[in-house]
Amino acid sequence: MPIRRLPPETVNRIAAGEVVERPASAVKELVENALDAGARSIEVQADGGGLTRILVADDGCGLSADELALAIERHATSKLGPDDAGDYDLLHIHTLGFRGEALPSIGSVARLSISSRARGLTDAHAILVEGGAVGAVAPSGFPGPHGARVEVRDLFYATPARLKFMKSERSEAQAIADEIKRQAMAHEAVSFALDLDGRRTLRLPAESKGPDGRLARLSSIMGRDFSDNALAIDHEREGVRLTGFAGLPTYNRGNAAHQYLFVNGRPVRDRLLQGALRGAYADFLARDRHPLVALYLELDPSLVDVNVHPAKAEVRFRDPALVRGLIVGGLRHALAGAGHRAATTVASDTLANLRPGWSPQPQPSAQGFSAWQMGGWAPVAQAAQSLPGLTEVSARAEPAEWSPAPVAAPAGFEEAPAAIFDPVDFPLGAARAQVHETYIVAQTRDGVVIVDQHAAHERLVYERMKVEMAEGGVARQALLLPEVVELDPAEAERVVARAEELEALGLVLESFGPGAVLVRETPALLGETDVSGLVRDIADDLSENGQALALKERLADVCGTMACHGSVRAGRRLTAPEMNALLRQMEATPHSGQCNHGRPTYVELKLADIERLFGRR
């Protein structure tokens, strides 16, 4: 076939397939245009999942009549300007949009109308585009002093085949809502409103610019509990700054839907974030649990390429290892600073699962009908008088028994004399009893703490083992016969390039020709292990995440198993000094609020919550 020059209408429809994949894509482009125009209030309406109608109204700088005619031409934009030499710099992008494709792409597959009044002008104008056919600019009414109103009707009517690939109206509407939430999280100083099919769906007032306003905006979207269980992050390395908030390990979800990354104010999806989160939370969460995070990267535009795809949802970093290291380091620092803190939702979930079990009326006994024949059912109060068996599985610790000597005050209480310091003022309180030889009950100044003794001590032992490994390195064992592992040549090259890092983790290997590595030593902690499988997992991690997470996770699993076997087991009776010693160690050990799988090691119930259970409040 001879080469033909495609007509402009066909070119626009091809471009529309890249830029406007679904209604949420159109909303994203229009909202970003409003933000680039300096809008402080953005209103979005969508009907029929966005396929019937989309309206985006803003109070930005607006467009003049001449600019309206240019705005719907391909690659016409106000966001790029020439330098003194007449060149356009695509390496220093400071705006969300810059390609000049959104409006003409939408206009080529839908009925697009734009009305606007430019700041400082009295007249407003409008333009209409239907399936690529451009109408004339005409005077129009406009409700505000300045800004723009962009309405899209019958999306994809000009490309009926595309409509077959759309999901249900409900799914498309949810995608629009998710897109608005991401944009709102990136720009807390802008107010957002969203109506779906005439129903008020989202109202987000403008917040103060900065960490406090950002946290308030995140809480309004990710849930009120997020602000109580979020750790602030603010780190900088080599000109790249990371800020944001990360949830405590015990505040987690079953999917990764609440993980967000923003680069210079742009919501992006990047596999780098998934690998970094996996590495940072590896010691705290099981593989099927996911943390809640919202991270904001600020860096020189020349260090990130936002022109990877027309949709601008993906970016490419010049130094991905630096960015990943910054994310992992920032998250780990925040998690270490949390100490023994556990999520506030642990207590609320516990209270939600509690149900009052006492009744003033006599209840049936375990013998059922035969007991009734022998004289009736015994009331619960009578059956509970002797409390049989409790003495065999419990230990009491009264204050007079365990604290006659002066008690040293914890950090932050130096001003109080040690001799009169009350142990209930410790963060985890004073041990009062051990029940069922498994749980420690402690009293605090304003509540009660229940500790799972095995899970808590397992975390303490695990943290101590991590410190010992870091100080002494990982012990290695030499293979009797070095094992050759065949890989793809590129994978083998990546693995060999990280040989020093792997050696520090106890795995000694070297190149064995193209497409193969020779393994000489493995970590002693792993014992007999599948060397080939381990190396291939490491190669996959290096390809996807840039770090050998597989080996680190296997070492962590072994340490966790060893810590489990070396910790205080459930069923062991503890003395009062042992119980209090465990509480004090938990207070001094980072991450002691959760076990290795993200489950809480203790539950704290405030006195006010307990009083509500009994109707005293």
Side-chain angles (χ1 to χ4, degrees):
M1 286 181 68
I3 298 176
R4 297 182 177 87
R5 181 177 287 106
L6 296 176
E9 295 80 6
T10 304
V11 172
N12 286 338
R13 289 178 182 176
I14 292 174
E18 297 178 329
V19 179
V20 188
E21 300 175 355
R22 59 192 305 190
S25 304
V27 172
K28 172 182 180 294
E29 297 292 341
L30 298 177
V31 169
E32 288 183 348
N33 280 346
L35 292 168
D36 284 337
R40 288 294 171 262
S41 177
I42 298 176
E43 178 186 351
V44 180
Q45 299 175 11
D47 299 327
L51 294 169
T52 303
R53 174 178 175 266
I54 295 172
L55 172 68
V56 177
D58 67 76
D59 61 351
C61 61
L63 299 168
S64 65
D66 294 337
E67 289 174 326
L68 276 176
L70 282 174
I72 46 83
E73 292 186 12
R74 287 197 69 209
H75 301 306
T77 180
S78 62
K79 301 164 189 179
L80 286 178
D83 57 19
D84 295 337
D87 298 326
Y88 289 83
D89 188 2
L90 291 176
L91 299 178
H92 294 80
I93 303 297
H94 295 275
T95 55
L96 298 174
F98 58 91
R99 297 173 62 100
E101 291 181 305
L103 292 177
S105 295
I106 295 172
S108 66
V109 295
R111 308 181 203 277
L112 171 69
S113 64
I114 308 172
S115 60
S116 178
R117 175 182 285 128
R119 181 180 279 114
L121 299 182
T122 56
D123 296 331
H125 295 80
I127 191 171
L128 178 66
V129 184
E130 291 195 10
V134 181
V137 177
S140 171
F142 191 81
H146 53 79
R149 291 173 62 88
V150 183
E151 189 173 33
V152 181
R153 291 185 177 273
D154 303 326
L155 187 61
F156 299 127
Y157 90 96
T159 53
R162 176 61 65 90
L163 287 174
K164 298 179 181 179
F165 293 91
M166 293 297 105
K167 297 182 179 180
S168 65
E169 290 186 1
R170 183 176 180 180
S171 296
E172 298 298 342
Q174 184 60 49
I176 291 174
D178 291 341
E179 181 59 42
I180 296 299
K181 290 176 181 178
R182 281 193 292 270
Q183 296 291 347
M185 285 189 282
H187 306 277
E188 69 275 5
V190 180
S191 67
F192 287 83
L194 172 64
D195 291 347
L196 296 175
D197 294 315
R199 298 189 305 271
R200 174 180 292 193
T201 303
L202 201 63
R203 291 294 185 272
L204 298 171
E207 305 287 351
S208 59
K209 200 169 183 63
D212 293 339
R214 180 170 288 172
L215 181 58
R217 173 61 59 84
L218 292 175
S219 298
S220 62
I221 294 174
M222 299 173 69
R224 290 180 295 176
D225 290 328
F226 183 75
S227 60
D228 297 327
N229 299 285
L231 304 172
I233 297 172
D234 191 348
H235 279 256
E236 187 169 354
R237 184 185 301 172
E238 298 183 24
V240 182
R241 187 183 181 192
L242 174 71
T243 59
F245 297 89
L248 290 165
T250 45
Y251 183 66
N252 54 61
R253 292 288 187 272
N255 56 49
H258 295 286
Q259 297 175 357
Y260 303 95
L261 177 64
F262 306 91
V263 178
N264 290 342
R266 183 191 307 276
V268 301
R269 297 182 179 90
D270 196 289
R271 289 189 305 172
L272 185 78
L273 176 64
Q274 305 300 324
L277 290 176
R278 179 181 162 195
Y281 281 85
D283 287 347
F284 315 110
L285 289 178
R287 279 181 172 267
D288 60 343
R289 305 303 298 178
H290 303 271
L292 285 73
V293 299
L295 302 178
Y296 301 79
L297 278 171
E298 298 174 13
L299 67 167
D300 190 288
S302 63
L303 300 178
V304 57
D305 184 7
V306 299
N307 196 22
V308 177
H309 188 273
K312 304 183 295 297
E314 303 174 10
V315 296
R316 183 180 294 117
F317 296 102
R318 178 174 295 183
D319 190 350
L322 169 64
V323 174
R324 187 188 187 284
L326 179 62
I327 293 176
V328 174
L331 288 171
R332 286 181 174 172
H333 181 79
L335 291 172
H340 68 276
R341 179 181 167 194
T344 58
T345 53
V346 172
S348 60
D349 292 343
T350 302
L351 291 169
N353 291 326
L354 290 177
R355 296 291 183 270
W358 178 83
S359 172
Q361 301 298 323
Q363 300 293 322
S365 68
Q367 289 80 15
F369 184 73
S370 60
W372 176 80
Q373 283 184 321
M374 292 184 293
W377 293 312
V380 172
Q382 297 176 9
Q385 287 177 354
S386 59
L387 299 175
L390 276 182
T391 56
E392 283 77 14
V393 295
S394 304
R396 297 181 61 192
E398 295 300 335
E401 297 179 19
W402 60 269
S403 60
V407 180
F413 290 89
E414 290 80 357
E415 68 280 359
I420 64 172
F421 179 77
D422 193 336
V424 298
D425 287 321
F426 281 103
L428 294 181
R432 295 304 192 209
Q434 179 194 27
V435 295
H436 296 292
E437 295 180 343
T438 302
Y439 303 102
I440 299 171
V441 179
Q443 177 186 348
T444 62
R445 180 62 64 184
D446 60 349
V448 174
V449 173
I450 305 172
V451 178
D452 182 336
Q453 66 187 38
H454 174 64
H457 197 246
E458 180 181 345
R459 169 56 77 174
L460 299 181
V461 174
Y462 178 66
E463 291 296 327
R464 187 166 63 247
M465 291 181 64
K466 284 169 53 180
V467 172
E468 292 173 353
M469 286 178 57
E471 293 176 349
V474 180
R476 305 194 296 261
Q477 61 181 5
L479 298 179
L480 185 61
L481 294 175
E483 186 166 340
V484 178
V485 182
E486 295 185 358
L487 301 168
D488 180 87
E491 292 178 338
E493 186 177 346
R494 277 193 292 266
V495 171
V496 173
R498 296 297 186 99
E500 290 186 7
E501 175 186 334
L502 296 174
E503 183 176 352
L505 294 172
L507 184 66
V508 178
L509 52 78
E510 60 189 47
S511 177
F512 197 70
V517 296
L518 182 70
V519 180
R520 295 190 178 275
E521 299 179 39
T522 60
L525 280 174
L526 297 181
E528 293 186 10
T529 186
D530 178 10
V531 177
S532 298
L534 173 62
V535 173
R536 290 191 178 96
D537 286 346
I538 292 172
D540 292 340
D541 279 333
L542 290 175
S543 174
E544 183 174 354
N545 304 310
Q547 266 202 345
L549 295 175
L551 179 55
K552 294 181 179 180
E553 288 179 350
R554 291 198 186 191
L555 288 173
D557 288 342
V558 172
C559 287
T561 301
M562 295 173 64
C564 180
H565 288 286
S567 60
V568 173
R569 308 293 295 181
R572 174 183 165 186
R573 182 173 297 182
L574 300 179
T575 65
E578 287 175 332
M579 288 188 280
N580 282 285
L582 180 63
L583 297 178
R584 302 294 82 80
Q585 289 181 36
M586 290 177 64
E587 293 164 352
T589 303
H591 320 307
S592 61
Q594 63 276 323
C595 71
N596 300 352
H597 302 293
R599 293 188 294 269
T601 58
Y602 72 90
V603 175
E604 182 177 8
L605 302 178
K606 297 297 184 182
L607 189 58
D609 296 326
I610 298 174
E611 289 174 344
R612 289 191 188 96
L613 286 175
F614 292 96
R616 298 173 65 92
R617 284 197 174 212

